[in-house]
Amino acid sequence: MIDINKKTGLSVYTSGEYFSLNMERHRLDACYKAKEFLNLFIPHAKENNWNIKTYADVGCGSGDGTGKVASGITSEGFHLIDAVGYELSPHIEKVHIEGIHFICGDFSQCGNQTDLVTLFDVVEHVPSPIEFLRGVCAKCKWIGIHIPLDNNFNNSFRNLYRKKLYTPGHLVFLDIPQALTLLALAGIRVVNYSYTFNFNWPTGRQGTLAKLAILPRRILAKINPWLTSRILGGCSLMVIGETENGWSCCEINEYNMQ
């Protein structure tokens, strides 16, 4: 466990300690997050003629998800010419994936203007999340965000919030309306979202209680995903949205087509 008394704020990430302890979790879940994002994003992007040439994955972790999203976008006919992964942890300098350029740094400070940005399980780790999101949005048109729905009965009844401050380092605990409101306050226009069920992923099946909860979670998720997220947990939200740069671009394109 990370000693939060010794490492606070972003230092736990910039030191590399967080990812040395959690890298395997990132690798195990990366393909699931990428698949959920692509399933939601591709149909909407095609329907609305979004032109995706540049892509940045902010807080890219192991980089596996970055590569899967980039290859998925390309395979669907988008002419992606640049894909970059940004990470504060120095381990990223040793990651090599064909077609992806990795940068150890803060996207808001050192990133270039890009069409699409993804943030998979990043926002909940960041102090001042609205300010952080505004900084990211200033440099992109469209954004994909994966947010754990930690505000539920299971976590409350078991008093898990203090533990989550340490591991996995969550600072923000949200349910669905709160997550959507947070994004709106940050200047993001949500255009679509879907539930993701982490209990079906490799890391969601670790531990005796998690394994026992899989069946009731699956049954309830088929009946009512929202109720699952509020009572049993193990759910997250995958969101795609437009920033001000994105909807301004769409307005210009619509004007030119008239």
Side-chain angles (χ1 to χ4, degrees):
M1 179 183 293
I2 297 168
D3 187 347
I4 202 167
N5 294 313
K6 294 182 179 179
K7 292 190 180 295
T8 58
L10 295 178
S11 65
V12 71
Y13 303 106
T14 57
S15 69
E17 181 177 355
Y18 177 84
F19 286 101
S20 69
L21 298 174
N22 292 278
M23 185 59 69
E24 187 60 25
R25 292 177 58 87
H26 282 263
R27 287 206 171 99
L28 288 172
D29 289 347
C31 64
Y32 293 88
K33 294 177 187 178
K35 181 180 178 180
E36 295 283 357
F37 169 73
L38 291 168
N39 287 343
L40 186 66
F41 177 77
I42 295 298
H44 191 91
K46 287 185 174 181
E47 181 181 351
N48 291 275
N49 297 313
W50 288 358
N51 187 15
I52 311 297
K53 292 185 177 180
T54 53
Y55 163 57
D57 187 17
V58 177
C60 62
S62 66
D64 295 83
T66 317
K68 292 183 183 300
V69 169
S71 62
I73 290 173
T74 301
S75 67
E76 289 292 335
F78 294 90
H79 300 293
L80 193 66
I81 60 175
D82 188 40
V84 185
Y86 290 86
E87 180 54 67
L88 295 179
S89 176
H91 78 271
I92 202 65
E93 296 176 342
K94 299 179 181 179
V95 174
H96 300 284
I97 297 176
E98 186 177 356
I100 311 293
H101 178 51
F102 292 102
I103 295 176
C104 182
D106 183 347
F107 172 76
S108 299
Q109 300 297 322
C110 64
N112 296 321
Q113 288 289 336
T114 189
D115 294 322
L116 172 66
V117 162
T118 54
L119 296 156
F120 294 158
D121 290 14
V122 174
V123 174
E124 67 276 9
H125 293 270
V126 179
S128 302
I130 293 176
E131 180 182 353
F132 166 75
L133 285 171
R134 286 187 177 276
V136 172
C137 289
K139 293 193 172 186
C140 68
K141 298 175 183 177
W142 302 290
I143 191 165
I145 307 178
H146 192 251
I147 306 172
L149 300 173
D150 285 332
N151 185 10
N152 56 62
F153 175 78
N154 182 29
N155 284 336
S156 297
F157 182 76
R158 297 169 62 197
N159 193 26
L160 294 179
Y161 296 116
R162 187 176 188 277
K163 178 181 178 181
K164 285 181 175 291
L165 289 171
Y166 293 79
T167 304
H170 291 185
L171 305 177
V172 179
F173 305 96
L174 305 169
D175 58 24
I176 295 170
Q178 291 167 343
L180 296 175
T181 300
L182 173 69
L183 299 181
L185 291 173
I188 297 169
R189 177 179 176 268
V190 173
V191 298
N192 203 356
Y193 69 85
S194 64
Y195 295 91
T196 65
F197 303 115
N198 312 28
F199 52 83
N200 288 323
W201 302 357
T203 60
R205 299 192 295 267
Q206 295 176 351
T208 302
L209 287 177
K211 290 176 182 177
L212 291 174
I214 289 177
L215 183 58
R217 279 171 165 168
R218 285 177 176 173
I219 293 172
L220 188 56
K222 288 184 177 296
I223 299 170
N224 191 317
W226 172 80
L227 204 57
T228 310
S229 73
R230 293 296 288 127
I231 297 178
L232 298 179
C235 306
S236 295
L237 203 64
M238 184 66 77
V239 178
I240 54 173
E242 295 177 335
T243 70
E244 184 176 354
N245 297 325
W247 70 66
S248 297
C249 174
C250 290
E251 288 173 358
I252 292 172
N253 289 340
E254 289 175 3
Y255 175 79
N256 291 335
M257 291 174 65
Q258 293 177 355

